[in-house]
Amino acid sequence: MTAWADLDAVRATALGCTACGLAATRTQVVFGSGDPAADLMFVGEGPGADEDRLGQPFVGRSGQLLTRLIDGIGLTRDAVYIANVVKCRPPDNRDPLTDEIAACRPFLEAQVDHVAPRVIMTLGNFATKLLLDTRTGITKLRGQEFPYRSGAVVVPTLHPAAVLRGGGVALAQTRADFVVAKRLVGRAR
Ligand code: URA
């Protein structure tokens, strides 16, 4: 279980975190947003420039697509919880480094423990590899369900940025993955 009493305590620690080098270049920590008791949680990679500026996850172009995909299964951003593998922007949008992911991992794990979602959609390779402890790539794993240690089910899907690059096929696959997640949210425990 987590070292923090509640999600606000996790947030308070994260906002002052200097555990990795990203602390030196961030504008602000992007902790997470949405319903702290959501049944459906999304985990992305890390903040980009827009998120770093506004302090909210997925508010740039990828975020607009994520919002549309959430709308497409009859939910809203307020009804789900959205977080990232790393809470601070990697400079120039580079991939997060192994030590940065490791330093931030306790925050994500505590978010999962406190939100206690039924279903976690991992968006792209970084979130999928971290939560499923796998080296298998997202294209092989997407759209399937995997157990997570919290009791939640993980459904990997493409990162919205990859969907924006990938065009119609990627968008259709991702929409189908969201339908899988929606069905699992509704499934009796
Ligand atoms: N990409 C991510 O992985 N997370 C964000 O918050 C924004 C873009």
Side-chain angles (χ1 to χ4, degrees):
M1 232 346 221
T2 144
W4 293 275
D6 55 31
L7 206 53
D8 285 341
V10 189
R11 179 191 291 272
T13 306
L15 294 190
C17 181
T18 55
C20 81
L22 297 181
T25 51
R26 74 182 178 224
T27 304
Q28 53 191 321
V29 175
V30 180
F31 180 68
S33 71
D35 180 354
D39 285 334
L40 179 58
M41 175 167 173
F42 293 88
V43 181
E45 182 178 315
D50 294 316
E51 291 77 19
D52 178 66
R53 187 166 47 84
L54 296 170
Q56 297 292 323
F58 282 102
V59 288
R61 272 191 80 220
S62 294
Q64 287 164 17
L65 175 57
L66 177 62
T67 303
R68 283 203 302 278
L69 289 162
I70 293 169
D71 288 348
I73 55 168
L75 294 171
T76 63
R77 281 178 68 114
D78 289 348
V80 303
Y81 192 82
I82 304 174
N84 279 305
V85 167
V86 294
K87 312 299 188 220
C88 299
R89 180 189 183 205
D92 303 321
N93 298 336
R94 66 158 169 75
D95 290 346
L97 305 176
T98 307
D99 70 297
E100 294 160 356
I101 294 171
C104 224
R105 181 177 187 150
F107 296 135
L108 180 62
E109 291 185 346
Q111 285 172 303
V112 171
D113 284 340
H114 284 296
V115 175
R118 288 181 177 211
V119 178
I120 303 168
M121 286 200 88
T122 49
L123 305 171
N125 269 315
F126 281 91
T128 303
K129 289 182 172 174
L130 183 66
L131 266 66
L132 296 185
D133 193 21
T134 179
R135 301 173 84 152
T136 307
I138 186 67
T139 51
K140 283 218 167 65
L141 299 176
R142 55 153 285 273
Q144 301 169 65
E145 55 177 296
F146 299 92
Y148 185 62
R149 58 157 184 82
S150 68
V153 170
V154 170
V155 179
T157 194
L158 301 176
H159 191 284
V163 180
L164 288 172
R165 286 192 304 269
V169 172
L171 181 60
Q173 289 176 332
T174 303
R175 283 206 178 110
D177 299 346
F178 273 64
V179 171
V180 170
K182 175 75 190 288
R183 178 173 52 75
L184 292 171
V185 168
R187 187 169 71 178
R189 277 187 213 261

